[in-house]
Amino acid sequence: MNIERELFRFQDKEYQAFQSKLIPTVPKETVIGVRTPELRKLAVQFAKEPEAESFLQELPHRYYEENNLHAFLIERIRDYDRCIAALDSFLPYIDNWATCDCMSPKVLGKHLPELLDKIREWMDSGKTYTVRYGIGLLMRYYLDDAFTEEYPGMVAGVHSDEYYINMMIAWYFATALAKQYEQVIPYFEEKKLDIWIHNKAIQKAIESRRITKEKKEYLRSLKRKE
């Protein structure tokens, strides 16, 4: 299967223009304009081809959609160790928030204890989208039954000038306010977060339907002046 030819077969010029505006870190000429449902269908088909394994080794890719296809192929890996190896190889090449956030292999959710060590490693990497991915996994898998008070501390311990890391930290704490309010409200009351993250997390929490009106009013009172 010629992947580049297949991707251009599904090109949508209007979607290309729209998508390019959402991912400013990606050069416009590397965005083909393929909608996600088409990419996922292609991943299902391509995963059956012998060339799929070699495609996963061909890094870096040229096009944004090739990266997303790569992400969707990783999602289909059912062996935990093989999935982690594929993520370790791919994460350093991710150059935008959309590719980073779209990749959610189901096998990871079945190995939460051992996944934590890998999350810590990724969060300590210093690489923008590797750090973001690690925080995203903490938000996805460790804010419900697997939650402990250690995890928001791990996220609060990340300090960066990178917008896409800080936005993920804010997203994590907004979600944590919805799911583990009593455990994370001290981070706001005691001003443990960088001021931009503090205010952005409150803004996102106030927009959430999962937080009561009373809690939203209290959160508004905790906003800090820049």
Side-chain angles (χ1 to χ4, degrees):
M1 182 183 291
N2 185 311
I3 287 300
E4 189 172 315
R5 184 171 62 220
E6 286 295 309
L7 290 172
F8 274 96
R9 193 161 68 88
F10 294 107
Q11 185 178 44
D12 181 329
K13 291 289 185 69
E14 288 186 8
Y15 185 70
Q16 177 188 39
F18 168 76
Q19 189 67 19
S20 294
K21 293 177 182 178
L22 297 180
I23 44 174
T25 59
V26 178
K28 292 182 179 179
E29 63 272 17
T30 66
V31 180
I32 297 172
V34 183
R35 295 179 182 272
T36 298
E38 296 296 342
L39 278 174
R40 287 195 176 277
K41 288 179 186 176
L42 184 57
V44 172
Q45 297 170 2
F46 189 40
K48 302 172 185 176
E49 302 289 333
E51 303 98 324
E53 189 58 40
S54 60
F55 176 79
L56 291 175
Q57 309 303 320
E58 294 169 1
L59 289 165
H61 298 302
R62 179 181 179 185
Y63 292 105
Y64 163 72
E65 283 83 359
E66 287 181 304
N67 281 326
N68 283 5
L69 179 63
H70 193 125
F72 297 150
L73 287 173
I74 290 177
E75 283 188 338
R76 301 186 63 77
I77 298 175
R78 297 179 181 179
D79 178 80
Y80 174 77
D81 291 332
R82 184 168 165 253
C83 182
I84 290 295
L87 286 168
D88 275 334
S89 296
F90 182 51
L91 284 170
Y93 293 98
I94 294 179
D95 60 359
N96 68 92
W97 67 268
T99 302
C100 180
D101 295 359
C102 79
M103 186 167 53
S104 180
K106 291 182 179 180
V107 70
L108 299 184
K110 300 176 182 178
H111 296 266
L112 296 187
E114 57 264 53
L115 180 59
L116 270 174
D117 287 337
K118 183 54 67 172
I119 288 174
R120 290 188 181 94
E121 179 185 320
W122 288 335
M123 288 173 62
D124 289 340
S125 70
K127 297 175 181 176
T128 298
Y129 297 102
T130 304
V131 175
R132 181 181 172 100
Y133 191 70
I135 297 170
L137 290 178
L138 275 183
M139 181 175 69
R140 183 178 299 128
Y141 293 122
Y142 300 88
L143 278 178
D144 295 298
D145 293 342
F147 177 82
T148 75
E149 294 183 9
E150 172 192 5
Y151 304 147
M154 288 169 56
V155 179
V158 176
H159 298 282
S160 174
D161 294 328
E162 292 287 346
Y163 171 83
Y164 290 101
I165 290 178
N166 289 332
M167 182 59 81
M168 179 58 81
I169 296 173
W171 187 8
Y172 172 90
F173 275 97
T175 307
L177 284 168
K179 293 189 171 188
Q180 301 289 346
Y181 181 86
E182 297 299 331
Q183 284 70 30
V184 299
I185 193 63
Y187 284 86
F188 297 88
E189 294 172 331
E190 299 169 19
K191 302 178 181 178
K192 293 182 178 180
L193 302 172
D194 295 341
I195 189 167
W196 186 90
I197 295 171
H198 176 107
N199 288 337
K200 181 61 69 173
I202 288 176
Q203 175 193 326
K204 293 174 78 68
I206 289 171
E207 293 169 355
S208 172
R209 296 180 180 179
R210 295 180 291 180
I211 295 178
T212 66
K213 182 179 178 180
E214 292 74 21
K215 287 177 180 175
K216 288 180 181 181
E217 286 302 314
Y218 181 54
L219 286 169
R220 286 189 179 93
S221 75
L222 295 176
K223 282 190 174 181
R224 294 157 61 186
K225 292 184 178 180
E226 298 284 351

